[in-house]
């Protein structure tokens, strides 16, 4: 997983707002749904509450655990598609546009980081 992928997802999902709320129960900068928290708790043996995802450290742990579990050996674009639509999203054409959008944001973040180092 590219080190800036979660940053790109955060920018796409909430523009960095740790307290963002979605229409379907999503919370936090990564717009995490309750079902994802339950899934990660099952996978990792943790006991996070959905309300904890407004904490950036908890949200990024959950995101990393989820993507590592369901996205082994996949491209960053495929990981973005899984983020948006779940583990089977890479088989649905409806997730392609989201994956491309995240990749554009990732490229933009890489360029910004490279420029800042000069």
């Amino acid at each position: 997983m590219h080190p800036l992928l979660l940053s790109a997802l955060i920018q796409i999902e909430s523009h960095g707002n740790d307290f963002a709320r979605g229409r379907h129960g999503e919370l936090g900068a990564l717009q995490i749904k309750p079902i994802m928290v339950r899934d990660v708790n099952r996978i990792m043996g943790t006991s996070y509450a959905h309300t904890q995802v407004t904490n950036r450290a908890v949200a990024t742990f959950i995101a990393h655990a989820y993507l590592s579990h369901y996205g082994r050996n996949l491209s960053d674009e495929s990981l973005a598609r899984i983020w948006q639509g779940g583990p089977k999203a890479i088989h649905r054409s409806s997730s392609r546009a989201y994956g491309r959008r995240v990749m554009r944001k990732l490229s933009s973040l890489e360029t910004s980081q490279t420029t800042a180092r000069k």
Side-chain angles (χ1 to χ4, degrees), residues 88-99:
K88 296 181 182 177
I90 57 173
H91 304 294
R92 291 192 300 268
S93 61
S94 60
S95 67
R96 285 188 190 130
Y98 182 84

Side-chain angles (χ1 to χ4, degrees), residues 37-56:
V37 176
R38 288 191 302 272
D39 201 18
V40 168
N41 283 336
R42 177 187 57 78
I43 293 164
M44 302 299 292
T46 53
S47 57
Y48 289 108
H50 183 239
T51 55
Q52 290 179 279
V53 300
T54 57
N55 176 308
R56 182 77 59 102

Side-chain angles (χ1 to χ4, degrees), residues 12 24 71-72 86 90 93:
I12 296 294
H24 303 288
R72 287 187 198 104
I90 57 173
S93 61

Side-chain angles (χ1 to χ4, degrees), residues 21-115:
R21 292 182 167 272
R23 292 184 299 223
H24 303 288
E26 308 93 343
L27 284 178
L30 283 158
Q31 292 293 276
I32 296 173
K33 292 182 180 182
I35 194 168
M36 184 181 291
V37 176
R38 288 191 302 272
D39 201 18
V40 168
N41 283 336
R42 177 187 57 78
I43 293 164
M44 302 299 292
T46 53
S47 57
Y48 289 108
H50 183 239
T51 55
Q52 290 179 279
V53 300
T54 57
N55 176 308
R56 182 77 59 102
V58 171
T60 56
F61 171 83
I62 287 171
H64 193 271
Y66 185 83
L67 293 174
S68 294
H69 181 77
Y70 289 111
R72 287 187 198 104
N73 303 315
L74 294 178
S75 69
D76 290 325
E77 185 170 348
S78 293
L79 292 174
R81 292 172 70 182
I82 287 171
W83 185 256
Q84 186 228 12
K88 296 181 182 177
I90 57 173
H91 304 294
R92 291 192 300 268
S93 61
S94 60
S95 67
R96 285 188 190 130
Y98 182 84
R100 288 191 300 267
R101 185 172 167 212
V102 171
M103 294 312 293
R104 284 191 302 273
K105 178 55 77 175
L106 179 58
S107 178
S108 169
L109 291 172
E110 283 180 309
T111 301
S112 296
Q113 196 175 59
T114 302
T115 304

